[in-house]
Amino acid sequence: MAALDPLPELMVEPIVRAALLEDLGRAGDITTDAVVPAGHVSRLVLAARQDGVVAGLDCARLAFRLLNPDVRFTPVVADGARVAPGTVLAEVEGPSRALLTGERTGLNLACRLSGIATATASLADAVAGHKAQIVCTRKTTPGLRALEKYAVRAGGGANHRFGLDDAVLVKDNHVAIAGSVAEAVRRVRARAGHMVKVEVEVDTLVQLEELLTLGADAVLLDNMTPATLAEAVRMVGGRMLTEASGRVNRETAPAIAASGVDLISVGWLTHSAPILDIGLDWVG
């Protein structure tokens, strides 16, 4: 796995700030402000409670430091690390009010992103030995796309397009409205710039055969059996990238990868992956 570059703080900070404001509401943390003296200081640790892959430690750090810059957040592991239950992920020390007020926001984001990274790693492990790479989709939580796609990278996967504007993906409804794969591709070629890559979704080998006469950068082979995928890969013959999607899980992924496809896209990585349980424990 290549070194994981962290997201720029400029991108992460507005997301964390918005989450804190949502939690603070109109009156702030009325429980902590009542119970904890203003000058009180605590030491806590973030610790994994399950096996998994870590992502989102910067979100936790910002959740505390935006509330009080005097908080000291010291990572013990890096995003992308595989951890066991009880592994300390980071040590946190500073004003107790900031630590308790920021706890849920920091954990919500770290648990969510670590869950995505863990799910991605599980699928990446399942296809190890094949050339296929696990990629995500646009089925992300509104407002969290950059973070969730980062978490996929932390788990050893790669990213599909980030939005509607950075690549063309002609899907079944586009084809239905255009009347054919050929007409949809013709319209795209007339509109998209020369730097824009074009991918076309096909459901059948007949559609694939039509696409091969037109040319594209990639083909999305949707909901095909492993045997049909293998035939599609043979037909393409390396002329474009092949991407499989549909019914992908840890049990089906090895057979899909064995078909020879280049990419396997998985929507549930970002819309349904369970969180990784991470706790914030008081140590003094």
Side-chain angles (χ1 to χ4, degrees):
M1 177 179 169
L4 181 67
D5 293 324
L7 288 175
E9 187 166 309
L10 186 66
M11 294 173 62
V12 180
E13 188 270 344
I15 299 172
V16 178
R17 183 181 294 274
L20 285 170
L21 288 172
E22 178 184 56
D23 211 17
L24 288 165
R26 295 167 298 176
D29 185 353
I30 59 175
T31 307
T32 295
D33 290 348
V35 173
V36 179
H40 193 274
V41 173
S42 293
R43 290 188 301 114
L44 302 99
V45 295
L46 269 76
R49 292 174 176 166
Q50 295 174 277
D51 292 316
V53 177
V54 178
L57 289 180
D58 271 350
C59 295
R61 175 180 62 82
L62 282 169
F64 299 124
R65 288 187 55 81
L66 284 172
L67 290 167
N68 193 314
D70 290 336
V71 171
R72 292 183 295 279
F73 186 96
T74 307
V76 177
V77 302
D79 281 358
R82 298 194 179 214
V83 297
T87 302
V88 173
L89 311 182
E91 299 170 348
V92 193
E93 184 173 357
S96 300
R97 285 185 173 182
L99 299 183
L100 297 185
T101 299
E103 173 181 2
R104 181 43 51 201
T105 294
L107 287 179
N108 280 349
L109 290 168
C111 291
R112 169 73 177 155
L113 300 184
S114 296
I116 291 170
T118 300
T120 303
S122 176
L123 286 183
D125 290 347
V127 303
H130 300 286
K131 70 175 181 178
Q133 191 167 28
I134 301 298
V135 299
C136 55
T137 72
R138 285 171 41 248
K139 296 177 182 178
T140 54
T141 307
L144 297 183
R145 180 169 295 173
L147 295 181
E148 291 180 346
K149 283 183 172 283
Y150 165 80
V152 168
R153 298 197 299 276
N159 297 146
H160 209 282
R161 60 179 179 162
F162 276 76
L164 294 170
D165 62 338
D166 62 344
V168 167
L169 177 52
V170 177
K171 294 181 69 65
D172 54 354
N173 286 331
H174 297 114
V175 172
I177 292 171
S180 68
V181 170
E183 179 58 17
V185 172
R186 185 195 68 76
R187 294 180 187 182
V188 163
R189 295 292 189 197
R191 175 71 178 268
H194 69 285
M195 295 293 288
V196 178
K197 288 188 177 294
V198 176
E199 181 172 19
V200 180
E201 177 185 278
V202 300
D203 301 316
T204 68
L205 296 181
V206 172
Q207 287 182 322
L208 175 59
E209 192 169 17
E210 181 184 8
L211 178 62
L212 289 173
T213 68
L214 306 168
D217 298 294
V219 57
L220 175 58
L221 306 164
D222 191 44
N223 281 301
M224 294 184 178
T225 66
T228 304
L229 286 171
E231 177 59 16
V233 170
R234 185 198 66 77
M235 291 171 62
V236 170
R239 285 175 283 176
M240 61 183 75
L241 284 173
T242 54
E243 175 185 344
S245 69
R247 299 189 295 267
V248 180
N249 55 48
R250 186 172 174 82
E251 288 67 43
T252 62
I256 294 171
S259 71
V261 294
D262 299 297
L263 307 167
I264 302 175
S265 56
V266 189
W268 66 262
L269 292 178
T270 51
H271 70 62
S272 298
I275 68 161
L276 181 71
D277 191 8
I278 298 171
L280 184 68
D281 301 320
W282 190 82
V283 295

